[in-house]
C-alpha cells in the first residue's frame, strides 16, 4: 500500500489517504497547493484559501474581505491584494514577491519571519488593534519595497524602506 494525496471533496484541503497497490489516478495531487491566475473575493473564499498552509499563489487577485485572526504562511508571487482588512492577522514565514497591497488595513497584525521582495503598499493602513497593540514586524526581510501613501508604514518597515 502507498500513501497518496487526494483532494478532499468538501474543503479543497489535502488529506492523506491509503491507496491500493494500483497506480495513482488523476485525482491524486502533489503535496503543494498551487494556484495560478485565480481571483478570490469575500471572507469565505479568502479564509478557505489562506487555510491551506504552505500554498503557492501566482498572479492571483484577492479582493474585498475582512479577516480576523488568520494565519498566512504561503508563497505569493505577483499577486494583488485589494481592499482587505486583517485584524490580529499573523503573517508567519510567508514570502511575497512582486505583490501589490492596495487599500489594505492591518490592525494589530504581526509579521514574523516574512520576506517582501519588490512589493508595493499603496494607501494601506498599519493600525493598532482595539487594545492599542500596534502592528509588529520581527525578523522580516524587506527588499526594494515601496510605500505610496500608507499610514503607519514606519511601524513595520526598516529605516531604509521608509
Amino acid at each position: 500500500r502507498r500513501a497518496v494525496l487526494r483532494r478532499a471533496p468538501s474543503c479543497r484541503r489535502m488529506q492523506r489517504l491509503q491507496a491500493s497497490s494500483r497506480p495513482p489516478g488523476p485525482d491524486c495531487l502533489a503535496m503543494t497547493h498551487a494556484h495560478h491566475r485565480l481571483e478570490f473575493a469575500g471572507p469565505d473564499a479568502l479564509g478557505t484559501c489562506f487555510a491551506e498552509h504552505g500554498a503557492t499563489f501566482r498572479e492571483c487577485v484577492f479582493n474585498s474581505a475582512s479577516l480576523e485572526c488568520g494565519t498566512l504562511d504561503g508563497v505569493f508571487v505577483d499577486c494583488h491584494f485589494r481592499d482587505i482588512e486583517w485584524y490580529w492577522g499573523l503573517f508567519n514565514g510567508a514570502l511575497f514577491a512582486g505583490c501589490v497591497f492596495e487599500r489594505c488595513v492591518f490592525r494589530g497584525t504581526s509579521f514574523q519571519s516574512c520576506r517582501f521582495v519588490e512589493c508595493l503598499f499603496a494607501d494601506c493602513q498599519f493600525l493598532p488593534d482595539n487594545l492599542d497593540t500596534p502592528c509588529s514586524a520581527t525578523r522580516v526581510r524587506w527588499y526594494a519595497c515601496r510605500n505610496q501613501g500608507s499610514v503607519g508604514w514606519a511601524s513595520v518597515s526598516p529605516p531604509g524602506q521608509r
Side-chain angles (χ1 to χ4, degrees):
R1 291 190 161 294
R2 293 181 299 201
V4 179
L5 294 175
R6 290 190 180 152
R7 184 180 301 272
S10 62
C11 66
R12 298 183 66 171
R13 291 187 193 152
M14 307 304 264
Q15 54 182 200
R16 187 170 290 278
L17 301 172
Q18 291 296 322
S20 64
S21 59
R22 63 181 165 70
D27 58 346
C28 297
L29 300 171
M31 289 188 68
T32 58
H33 315 301
H35 305 282
H36 186 241
R37 291 188 179 167
L38 298 176
E39 182 167 347
F40 300 91
D44 292 338
L46 267 66
T48 301
C49 169
F50 293 156
E52 295 182 14
H53 296 289
T56 300
F57 300 89
R58 185 177 183 87
E59 299 176 16
C60 292
V61 176
F62 303 91
N63 280 316
S64 306
S66 181
L67 304 171
E68 187 172 330
C69 300
T71 300
L72 203 60
D73 66 355
V75 175
F76 300 85
V77 178
D78 296 327
C79 292
H80 198 123
F81 299 85
R82 184 181 304 122
D83 298 316
I84 299 178
E85 185 168 331
W86 274 285
Y87 186 81
W88 282 351
L90 174 60
F91 287 63
N92 189 23
L95 169 63
F96 299 90
C99 294
V100 175
F101 294 84
E102 185 179 3
R103 296 182 308 272
C104 292
V105 178
F106 305 92
R107 292 184 189 276
T109 299
S110 177
F111 300 92
Q112 302 292 318
S113 302
C114 294
R115 290 188 179 131
F116 292 90
V117 180
E118 297 179 355
C119 293
L120 170 64
F121 291 84
D123 300 317
C124 294
Q125 298 177 52
F126 297 87
L127 305 172
D129 61 22
N130 66 336
L131 301 174
D132 208 33
T133 304
C135 293
S136 64
T138 306
R139 295 184 306 278
V140 173
R141 295 182 187 174
W142 302 86
Y143 301 99
C145 292
R146 296 178 298 133
N147 166 38
Q148 290 180 350
S150 295
V151 174
W153 170 256
S155 68
V156 294
S157 67
Q161 292 289 319
R162 295 183 188 157

